[in-house]
Amino acid sequence: MSDQEIPNPAPEPSGVDLARVALRAAKEQARARGAAAQQKKQARRGGLRSGARADGRDPLPLGAAINRLITERGWEAPAAVGGVMGRWPQLVGDDIALHCEPQKYDEDERVLTVQCDSTAWATQLRLLTPTIVARLNADLGHGTVKSIKVLAPAGPPRLYGRLRAPGSRGPGDTYG
């Protein structure tokens, strides 16, 4: 024999070896079919079932579900300001709350709009605005309310008639 003989490649599997290879391939195919059937069955049943440990699909108390929804949607600031509108008398005092009522909150501008029932109370609220803004921010978090827009009372509807002076704006001249 010469030094340049080519060694025989690995012999072809035969007999028992061939059976082992075929069995391994059959097991892998069965495992794949079983996994696919299991996924179909779970999909028919409505997904995975909850086990002994807590997961995201377990029922929640109503308060926790609402808090989760507020957090997921990014509604923390509007919800907090809505709570302030409900607690307005505790935050500003009963005297101011009787005469001044919060109307709306502009989230982009961070401005709380308050309607007063007289010009005297509107002036009083304008003077107290820095104190009230500080109280609101202490309760809601720094920077939630930057300013308060005070609305003077709306005057009675304009009455047009023969006794109306030309150029007059009606009773709106004396309000706000």
Side-chain angles (χ1 to χ4, degrees), residues 8 34 46 49 54 56 67 77 86 90 105 110 150 165 174:
N8 271 344
R49 302 268 174 154
N67 288 338
Q90 291 90 11
Y105 174 71
R110 298 185 185 272
V150 180
T174 58

Side-chain angles (χ1 to χ4, degrees), residues 22 42 46 57 60 62-63 66 75 86 89 91 101 105 112 121 133 138 147 150-152 157 161 166:
Q42 287 175 350
R57 297 169 290 134
L60 294 172
L62 182 61
I66 290 173
W75 295 338
L91 293 170
E101 180 183 351
Y105 174 71
L112 180 66
W121 278 104
V133 168
S147 66
V150 180
L151 301 177

Side-chain angles (χ1 to χ4, degrees), residues 60 62-76 79:
L60 294 172
L62 182 61
I66 290 173
N67 288 338
R68 190 163 110 184
L69 178 68
I70 287 172
T71 303
E72 287 174 357
R73 302 285 172 111
W75 295 338
E76 289 92 359

Side-chain angles (χ1 to χ4, degrees), residues 81 84-85 87-102 110-116 121-150:
V81 172
V84 165
M85 290 185 179
R87 294 179 293 128
W88 182 250
Q90 291 90 11
L91 293 170
V92 297
D94 291 331
D95 290 338
I96 295 174
L98 283 174
H99 301 282
C100 303
E101 180 183 351
R110 298 185 185 272
V111 175
L112 180 66
T113 304
V114 180
Q115 176 79 48
C116 297
W121 278 104
T123 303
Q124 183 70 23
L125 190 65
R126 284 187 189 104
L127 293 173
L128 292 173
T129 295
T131 307
I132 294 172
V133 168
R135 243 187 246 168
L136 292 173
N137 284 330
D139 190 54
L140 300 173
H142 183 67
T144 304
V145 178
K146 289 186 177 178
S147 66
I148 294 177
K149 180 179 178 182
V150 180

Side-chain angles (χ1 to χ4, degrees), residues 22-35:
L23 180 62
R24 189 177 312 125
K27 282 183 179 180
E28 288 175 9
Q29 288 175 353
R31 198 173 301 128
R33 281 194 309 268

